[in-house]
């Protein structure tokens, strides 16, 4: 699997994503600058965590207007896989590659901790190596991860099996609607999630529950 | 031209003698700009005029020290061509006035100190002290400071991996916000600030200059009074986004060989950076302020020289490399301007709108800065072993202590910090030291900040020794070899002989402990005048320590891990209750002698524990500090989600044995099959040790005394902070 990581000004999980990708796929990821207008020939594009452009406007709003996003949209249009983690998820909703929005955490505080998740959907290139209903533990680290959408959209997401990760009952760190932690687009090739799978691929660093996501992608895209 | 009146001199915080000295050095009256420059460069904050004489006594050398005090940060060699660069610095005064921005810019400032030397910051720590919980400002200050630290560090993408939070009424009017940054570089890519050579371009990079923070360094060198909140305009405003760009741009420029010298613009901004670079390089510097990128219209030379706008750097480049550097800063959308040139005159010359507004010998700002041997009086240390009520129920006391403001879980704080970004955090907050892997290797850095101010108040010398010993012990407890420290000396007004006595005794105590433990001081910061309306803080010499381990996979943690592990107490227990948490929280008294640190025992016991961890198989260790043995064991139960059965040695007095704060002690747990090996090793090293029980499910039981479910301890321990911050709890007064 060939992959690329987009670097916005003040992305700060770009190195983490690249390290995890290299560790899991055995080949280095391409680092793509936000002002580039083309992507290299890759199977997967990762929009990493961070504070793109400072996030002084709505998180991800500035990044959604960057040059590279046109290329990311074209890649998704062609059926290429896109994974948005944390700030990357915010960029995806702001770019309308995913529905809904991410607003301030319900308690108005930044939260960083390990959270219990349930894998709700395994019919996707991102989660096929998980078991349906599997409990996994990923860290979150965000101030604006509270997923909201109108009822109709939420019903549709659930009805179409596009809610991929949910916070386990009682462990929702941000107050998101229906405990949503990660969702797919209609074509199921774009995933956005607030928790950080790339931080849990090394047993020394608090677990390996993120590995199955990369293994899924490798199997689906190689 | 503005006439320099005695009032103006006084407003600049200069004494009559100091001003007379300035006139002698200049052979004339200074201009207003020059007066402003002298005022910041000769401030306590920049010149260390009260402490330099004493700081010179600290041990600063070891074979692994690459750079000791005197640069932006200290540097140690951690093998394989890797260097670790770190420093701790205070941002106390601004944080009290405007907690969010004060703390945020404290974080930003210390990060620049580290990355200006070529390091990528990899971990942040902090040591925070607030007033008593019942003080009406405390909640607001805790909330603002914690959000500020998180707001800046999280955006930078550098994990904040631990620290300290304490409450005491002596900080009601002067909170302490000490931030430490640890970075990594290659030993052959370390950048310094000596602007050697004439005719080299001086370049300004980063944010534009505004009027914020003018005279911040002078504010940080005076006591507070009731009007201090009017100083809010002297607090700078941080922009972590720009700092992140500045970090990446500087590291990109540093990968070339275009830089001769580089320094961040911290306290006293353009003034101190240019003066210090010229001074260290033995050169002169000529600046043209018309070229400085400015955020506001009609800024005067005085404004620009004294502004403390954040996220700015000054560099001296090799001639002809300007375009290459400019391209890098353009890419990151940062300002870049050639604003001056180095000369061979050893003078700082500042031009604005075609006029020379300052022309002064650089040595007048550095070497000639005042250096005082202030009179000091060493107060006799508190003595005596306090009495206590032997009938108080032990388990109830344990629960009270675990829920006390100084002892309760700090989860509410650290969950607002990104602890795992950069994917190298092996041990996050809650253990003895944070452990951060050196990216791409098996090596790890152990990092801690420590000081016990109540000990320092009772006995400034022993208390300072204890701060160093505790840092050394915390690094040892995870299995790392302690290498070096940075100190952050927070005290009151040095012009009072009693306070100066605390400072002198404190520095002597740090020196003695660092020498005995081979733990040199490679940098630091002094924050004096922490007084409001004449009331000083507890002496608080915070120590930031760094250690190295060869294999992070072997690092020990405090959590109990297996049922029926043997629990061993390492070190001698006499039951020292003077100045203990028990005495304060249960008996309501702060009295008696502070515990003494016997440095040879400290070293012997710690070397033994580290040997056990390095040999492999020993993965559960906790040092014993605040609260004593039973609190340490309770913390190990909470972290491991299991219980323990404890049996007191025959003849021991339960309360002093379980809650005494004797030093040089650890709790170690291991499978019983290892007992013989561990006890034999202890005996061979002459280390006092006693087996005191074993791990068990669910309950903490002390035989013959009582028991409590761990879940009940957890409720007590976790509950206080969130309840207090949500305003539900009527705060406890300490």
């Amino acid at each position: 699997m060939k992959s690329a990581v987009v670097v916005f000004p003040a992305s700060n999980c770009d190195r983490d994503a690249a390290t995890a990708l290299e560790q899991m796929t055995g080949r280095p990821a391409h680092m793509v600058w936000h002002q580039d207008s083309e992507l290299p020939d890759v199977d997967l594009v990762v929009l990493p965590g961070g504070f793109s452009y400072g996030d002084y406007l709505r998180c991800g709003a500035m990044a959604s207007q960057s040059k590279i996003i046109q290329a990311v949209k074209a890649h998704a249009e062609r059926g290429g896989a896109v994974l948005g983690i944390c700030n990357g998820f915010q960029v995806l909703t702001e770019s309308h590659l995913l529905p809904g929005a991410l607003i301030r955490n319900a308690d108005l505080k930044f939260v960083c901790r390990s959270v219990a998740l349930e894998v709700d959907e395994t019919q996707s290139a991102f989660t096929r190596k998980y078991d349906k209903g599997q409990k996994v533990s990923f860290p979150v680290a965000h101030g604006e991860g509270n997923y909201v959408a109108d009822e109709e959209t939420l019903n549709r997401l659930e009805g179409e099996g596009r809610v991929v990760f949910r916070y386990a009952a009682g462990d929702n760190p941000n107050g998101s609607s229906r405990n949503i932690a990660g969702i797919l687009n209609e074509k199921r090739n774009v995933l956005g999630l607030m928790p950080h799978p790339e931080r849990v691929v090394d047993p020394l660093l608090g677990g390996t529950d993120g590995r199955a996501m990369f293994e899924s992608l490798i199997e689906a895209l190689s | 031209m503005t006439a320099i009146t005695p009032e103006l001199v006084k407003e600049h915080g200069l004494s009559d003698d100091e001003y007379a000295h300035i006139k002698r050095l200049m052979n004339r009256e200074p201009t207003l700009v020059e007066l402003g420059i002298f005022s910041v460069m000769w401030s306590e904050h920049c010149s260390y005029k009260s402490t330099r004489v004493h700081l010179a006594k600290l041990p600063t050398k070891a074979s692994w020290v690459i750079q000791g005090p005197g640069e932006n940060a200290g540097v140690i060699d951690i093998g394989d061509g890797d260097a670790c660069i770190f420093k701790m610095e205070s941002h106390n005064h601004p944080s009290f006035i405007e907690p969010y921005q004060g703390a945020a810019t404290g974080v930003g400032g210390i990060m620049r100190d580290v990355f200006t030397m070529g390091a990528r910051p990899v971990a942040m720590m902090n040591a925070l002290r607030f007033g008593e919980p019942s003080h009406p400002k405390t909640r607001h200050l805790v909330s603002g400071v914690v959000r500020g630290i998180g707001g800046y560090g999280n955006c930078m993408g550098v994990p904040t991996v631990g620290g300290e939070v304490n409450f005491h009424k002596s900080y009601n009017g002067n909170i302490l916000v000490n931030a430490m940054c640890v970075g990594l570089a290659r030993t052959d890519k370390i950048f310094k600030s000596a602007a050697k050579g004439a005719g080299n371009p001086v370049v300004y990079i980063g944010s534009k200059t505004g009027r914020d923070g003018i005279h911040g360094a002078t504010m940080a060198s005076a006591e507070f009074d009731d009007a201090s909140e009017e100083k809010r305009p002297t607090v700078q405003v941080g922009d972590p986004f720009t700092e992140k760009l500045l970090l990446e741009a500087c590291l990109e420029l540093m990968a070339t060989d275009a830089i001769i010298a580089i320094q961040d613009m911290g306290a006293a901004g353009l003034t101190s950076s240019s003066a210090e670079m010229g001074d260290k390089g033995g050169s002169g510097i000529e600046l043209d302020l018309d070229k400085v990128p400015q955020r506001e219209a009609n800024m005067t030379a005085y404004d620009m020289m004294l502004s403390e706008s954040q996220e700015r750097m000054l560099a001296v480049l090799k001639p002809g490399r300007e375009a290459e550097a400019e391209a890098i800063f353009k890419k990151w959308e940062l300002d870049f301007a050639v604003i001056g040139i180095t000369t061979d005159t050893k003078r700082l010359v500042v031009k604005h709108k075609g006029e020379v507004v300052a022309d002064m010998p650089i040595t007048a700002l550095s070497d000639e800065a005042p250096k005082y041997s202030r009179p000091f009086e060493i107060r006799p240390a508190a003595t005596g072993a306090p009495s206590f009520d032997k009938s108080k129920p032990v388990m109830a006391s344990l629960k009270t202590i675990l829920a006390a403001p100084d002892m309760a879980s700090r989860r509410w704080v650290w969950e607002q910090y990104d602890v795992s970004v950069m994917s190298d955090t092996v041990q996050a907050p809650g253990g003895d030291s944070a452990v951060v892997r050196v990216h791409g290797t098996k090596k790890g850095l152990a990092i801690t900040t420590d000081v016990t101010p109540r000990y320092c108040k009772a006995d400034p010398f022993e208390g300072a020794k204890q701060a160093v010993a505790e840092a050394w012990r915390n690094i040892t407890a995870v299995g790392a070899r302690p290498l070096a420290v940075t100190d952050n000396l927070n005290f009151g007004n040095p012009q009072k002989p009693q306070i100066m006595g605390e400072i002198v005794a404190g520095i002597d105590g740090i020196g003695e402990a660092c020498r005995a433990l081979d733990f040199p001081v490679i940098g630091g910061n002094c924050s004096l005048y922490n007084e409001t309306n004449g009331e000083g803080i507890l002496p608080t010499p915070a120590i930031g320590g760094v250690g190295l381990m060869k294999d992070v996979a072997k690092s020990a943690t405090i959590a109990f891990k297996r049922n029926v592990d043997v629990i061993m107490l390492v070190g001698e227990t006499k039951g020292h209750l003077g100045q203990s948490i028990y005495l304060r929280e249960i008996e309501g008294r702060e009295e008696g002698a502070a515990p003494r640190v016997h440095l040879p025992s400290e070293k012997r016991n710690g070397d033994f524990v580290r040997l056990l961890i390095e040999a492999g198989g020993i993965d559960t260790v906790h040092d014993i500090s605040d609260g004593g043995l039973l609190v340490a064991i309770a913390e190990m139960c909470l972290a491991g989600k299991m219980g323990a059965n404890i049996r007191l040695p025959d003849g021991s007095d339960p309360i002093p044995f379980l809650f005494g704060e004797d030093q040089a002690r650890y709790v170690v747990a291991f499978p019983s099959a290892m007992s013989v090996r561990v006890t034999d090793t202890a005996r061979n090293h002459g280390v006092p040790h006693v087996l005191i029980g074993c791990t068990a499910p669910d309950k903490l039981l002390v035989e013959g005394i009582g028991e409590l479910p761990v879940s009940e301890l957890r409720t007590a321990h976790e509950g206080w902070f969130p309840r207090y911050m949500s305003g539900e709890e009527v705060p406890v007064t300490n």
Side-chain angles (χ1 to χ4, degrees):
Chain A
M1 181 181 73
K2 290 176 287 185
S3 57
V5 177
V6 176
V7 183
F8 298 105
S11 286
N12 65 27
C13 303
D14 45 336
R15 189 186 80 174
D16 296 355
T19 304
L21 284 166
E22 180 161 359
Q23 193 178 327
M24 297 301 298
T25 66
R27 58 205 296 182
H30 296 270
M31 304 307 280
V32 179
W33 188 235
H34 66 115
Q35 284 173 335
D36 291 348
S37 45
E38 279 176 41
L39 285 166
D41 172 30
V42 292
D43 307 300
L44 170 73
V45 177
V46 176
L47 305 183
F51 290 71
S52 53
Y53 301 87
D55 277 346
Y56 291 135
L57 197 57
R58 292 189 318 275
C59 297
M62 296 277 287
S64 73
Q65 303 301 313
S66 65
K67 247 186 195 171
I68 194 65
I69 285 297
Q70 291 311 317
V72 174
K73 282 181 172 166
H75 172 82
E77 193 65 30
R78 286 193 302 270
V82 178
L83 171 62
I85 303 167
C86 197
N87 191 225
F89 186 12
Q90 295 163 340
V91 176
L92 289 173
T93 57
E94 286 289 340
S95 308
H96 304 295
L97 280 162
L98 290 173
L102 293 146
I103 63 171
R104 287 284 294 279
N105 294 351
D107 69 358
L108 305 181
K109 291 202 301 281
F110 186 95
V111 59
C112 176
R113 63 181 174 86
S114 191
V115 295
L117 298 170
E118 276 168 33
V119 183
D120 243 37
E121 183 54 53
T122 53
Q123 300 294 309
S124 87
F126 303 89
T127 51
R128 58 203 286 174
K129 303 282 271 189
Y130 289 100
D131 296 325
K132 194 168 170 71
Q134 189 180 337
K135 300 252 193 309
V136 295
S137 178
F138 290 5
V140 292
H142 59 251
E144 310 198 6
N146 182 353
Y147 183 78
V148 292
D150 57 54
E151 286 298 303
E152 191 190 327
T153 305
L154 293 171
N155 290 339
R156 201 172 146 205
L157 285 171
E158 286 185 337
E160 293 173 0
R162 288 161 57 193
V163 175
V164 177
F165 292 101
R166 256 188 242 268
Y167 303 111
D171 209 16
N172 184 336
N174 52 41
S176 65
S177 308
R178 304 188 192 182
N179 292 329
I180 287 173
I183 55 168
L184 285 170
N185 67 340
E186 217 176 322
K187 282 168 65 181
R188 307 179 86 77
N189 61 329
V190 177
L191 170 70
L193 78 170
M194 289 314 295
H196 287 271
E198 83 284 16
R199 294 189 193 180
V200 271
V201 294
D202 185 332
L204 272 177
L205 307 176
T208 52
D209 285 354
R211 295 179 80 106
M213 182 181 294
F214 295 95
E215 286 162 357
S216 301
L217 285 163
I218 291 166
E219 188 179 272
L221 302 178
S222 295
Chain B
M1 209 174 93
T2 314
I4 307 296
T5 61
E7 291 73 40
L8 201 54
V9 171
K10 192 160 178 275
E11 271 173 36
H12 280 78
L14 291 161
S15 70
D16 294 343
D17 288 348
E18 286 171 350
Y19 185 63
H21 190 194
I22 288 172
K23 282 198 289 192
R24 276 198 303 280
L25 289 167
M26 295 293 292
N27 285 320
R28 59 172 166 81
E29 295 252 316
T31 64
L32 180 63
V33 175
E34 289 165 344
L35 183 71
I37 290 175
F38 272 113
S39 116
V40 291
M41 291 303 292
W42 286 16
S43 69
E44 186 68 57
H45 189 79
C46 290
S47 73
Y48 295 83
K49 57 190 168 192
S50 304
T51 51
R52 255 146 82 204
V53 182
H54 301 284
L55 292 171
K57 294 181 286 188
L58 291 172
T60 59
K61 292 193 170 67
S63 58
W64 55 89
V65 174
I66 295 176
Q67 175 68 54
E71 273 291 338
N72 286 295
V75 186
I76 52 174
D77 190 334
I78 55 165
D80 314 304
D82 294 319
C84 174
I85 301 185
F86 66 93
K87 191 178 179 187
M88 177 153 56
E89 203 163 78
S90 60
H91 228 211
N92 303 336
H93 295 79
S95 300
F96 181 75
I97 293 174
E98 168 43 52
Y100 183 93
Q101 293 298 345
T105 54
V107 169
I110 195 65
M111 281 195 191
R112 280 195 302 286
D113 275 335
V114 165
F115 74 73
T116 194
M117 297 198 68
R120 177 175 286 283
V122 297
M124 294 297 298
M125 297 283 286
N126 52 71
L128 311 178
R129 263 120 202 144
F130 298 100
E132 58 198 329
S134 58
H135 189 273
K137 288 197 77 159
T138 301
R139 240 186 224 104
H140 156 74
L141 291 169
V142 172
S143 164
V145 165
V146 169
R147 276 192 306 115
I149 289 172
Y152 210 101
N154 297 345
C155 179
M156 288 296 289
V158 180
T160 300
V161 292
E164 299 181 282
V165 181
N166 285 147
F167 299 91
H168 190 273
K169 59 179 181 287
S170 80
Y171 306 107
N172 280 353
N174 289 85
I175 62 169
L176 302 183
V177 175
N178 298 171
M180 175 174 172
C181 178
V182 180
L184 288 169
R186 298 292 294 171
T187 51
D188 58 356
K189 273 294 200 183
I190 291 165
F191 292 82
K192 297 192 184 172
S193 55
K196 290 195 184 107
N200 300 317
V202 176
V203 303
Y204 172 114
I205 48 197
S207 282
K208 290 181 168 50
T209 295
R211 288 198 177 90
D212 42 344
I214 290 175
H215 274 310
T218 314
M219 174 182 84
S221 307
E223 287 181 38
F224 274 165
D225 54 32
D226 293 330
S228 293
E229 297 195 29
E230 289 167 17
K231 292 185 175 165
R232 189 169 288 132
T234 58
V235 178
Q236 315 88 325
V237 175
D239 175 5
F241 170 59
T242 301
E243 176 115 327
K244 171 70 173 162
L245 303 186
L246 189 61
L247 163 66
E248 299 301 334
C250 284
L251 292 179
E252 200 170 319
L253 179 61
M254 285 163 170
T256 73
D257 64 345
I259 299 175
I260 293 173
I262 182 163
Q263 158 132 5
D264 86 297
M265 292 194 222
L270 201 46
T271 291
S272 66
S273 54
S274 54
E276 285 170 19
M277 288 171 83
D279 180 49
K280 285 183 190 145
S283 62
I285 288 196
E286 206 174 291
L287 299 177
D288 180 357
L289 297 184
D290 297 324
K291 307 256 175 67
V292 170
Q294 294 160 48
R295 202 171 62 209
E296 295 166 56
N298 303 320
M299 288 186 67
T300 64
Y302 184 93
D303 291 343
M304 277 187 263
M305 290 306 287
L306 299 188
S307 162
E308 291 192 3
S309 290
Q310 299 290 292
E311 295 93 24
R312 302 179 301 160
M313 296 272 207
L314 200 65
V316 174
L317 301 182
K318 293 178 183 167
R321 306 295 291 272
E322 297 91 325
E324 186 184 341
E326 185 168 10
I328 291 171
F329 285 86
K330 281 271 141 66
K331 172 186 159 192
W332 290 97
E333 297 176 37
L334 292 165
D335 273 297
F336 174 96
V338 179
I339 64 162
I341 193 159
T342 58
T343 65
D344 57 5
T345 61
K346 299 195 177 179
R347 295 184 76 81
L348 176 63
V349 178
V350 182
K351 293 180 185 163
H352 187 223
K353 298 188 171 163
E355 275 180 41
V356 174
V357 292
D359 182 354
M360 51 217 299
I362 282 180
T363 51
L365 300 172
S366 50
D367 299 352
E368 292 293 334
K371 183 152 83 170
Y372 297 126
S373 286
R374 296 199 188 275
F376 63 88
E377 195 183 305
I378 307 262
R379 167 167 43 84
T383 55
S387 62
F388 60 95
D389 177 357
K390 290 193 177 216
S391 68
K392 292 245 159 103
V394 164
M395 300 314 275
S397 297
L398 172 66
K399 220 169 106 176
T400 304
I401 289 172
L402 287 175
D406 265 1
M407 301 297 290
S409 165
R410 270 78 182 107
R411 185 181 305 279
W412 184 92
V413 175
W414 78 60
E415 283 192 351
Q416 296 187 56
Y417 304 148
D418 192 337
V419 300
S420 51
V421 64
M422 296 188 92
S423 292
D424 283 310
T425 305
V426 177
Q427 282 199 42
D432 285 332
S433 288
V435 177
V436 173
R437 187 170 59 183
V438 175
H439 194 66
T441 76
K442 286 164 65 184
K443 290 188 293 193
L445 297 171
I447 311 164
T448 181
T449 60
D450 294 287
V451 62
T452 312
R454 61 182 192 278
Y455 296 170
C456 298
K457 180 70 181 175
D459 188 337
F461 179 79
E462 283 296 324
K465 261 172 70 183
Q466 195 275 341
V468 174
E470 189 172 343
W472 190 88
R473 202 183 306 144
N474 277 327
I475 291 168
T476 295
V478 297
R481 197 176 81 129
L483 289 180
V485 305
T486 173
D487 57 1
N488 201 149
L489 308 177
N490 308 277
F491 290 92
N493 180 348
Q495 299 182 45
K496 295 179 182 169
Q498 283 241 337
I499 301 285
M500 197 60 216
E502 290 177 352
I503 298 171
V504 173
I507 292 174
D508 286 348
I510 291 171
E512 179 164 305
C514 287
R515 267 186 293 274
L517 299 172
D518 216 1
F519 202 25
V521 180
I522 62 162
N525 164 250
C526 295
S527 171
L528 308 182
Y529 298 96
N530 290 292
E531 298 203 2
T532 297
N533 296 331
E535 282 288 314
I537 57 164
L538 297 182
T540 313
I543 299 295
V546 172
L548 178 69
M549 65 177 68
K550 287 189 188 119
D551 181 359
V552 287
K554 284 185 181 168
S555 82
T557 71
I558 73 167
F560 284 138
K561 293 175 186 64
R562 295 158 295 264
N563 199 9
V564 216
D565 264 11
V566 174
I567 301 173
M568 178 193 261
L569 166 60
V570 173
E572 196 182 3
T573 302
K574 288 182 177 162
H576 187 103
L577 283 176
Q579 302 298 335
S580 64
I581 287 284
Y582 182 87
L583 197 67
R584 192 179 78 188
E585 300 297 333
I586 304 302
E587 297 281 348
R589 289 178 287 145
E590 295 181 48
E591 60 182 49
R596 294 184 77 82
V597 176
H598 184 250
L599 292 164
S601 308
E602 191 72 61
K603 186 150 174 28
R604 179 195 62 208
N605 298 355
D607 287 347
F608 159 71
V609 167
R610 193 177 322 103
L611 184 77
L612 289 182
I613 301 169
E614 281 176 345
I618 300 285
D619 57 8
T620 310
V621 177
H622 192 5
D623 91 303
I624 301 179
S625 55
D626 279 346
L629 173 67
L630 192 56
V631 169
I633 289 172
E635 288 168 347
M636 298 172 87
C637 291
L638 289 167
K641 301 184 174 71
M642 58 195 305
N645 291 337
I646 304 301
R647 173 185 291 173
L648 298 184
D650 292 341
S652 52
D653 192 351
I655 288 175
F657 186 84
L658 291 169
F659 296 107
E661 295 183 6
D662 309 74
Q663 300 294 299
R665 297 187 303 158
Y666 302 81
V667 178
V668 180
F670 43 83
S672 57
M674 296 172 73
S675 275
V676 174
R677 173 163 78 84
V678 174
T679 46
D680 281 354
T681 315
R683 213 168 294 123
N684 292 340
H685 285 78
V687 171
H689 61 282
V690 54
L691 300 181
I692 53 163
C694 62
T695 56
D698 308 326
K699 272 189 305 200
L700 174 56
L701 175 147
V702 183
E703 283 182 27
I705 289 185
E707 63 176 50
L708 275 176
V710 173
S711 58
E712 205 172 309
L713 294 174
R714 189 180 310 283
T715 306
H717 188 54
E718 294 291 344
W720 184 81
F721 225 110
R723 275 206 311 278
Y724 171 63
M725 291 309 295
S726 68
E728 282 173 38
E729 177 124 321
V730 177
V732 185
T733 305
N734 62 22

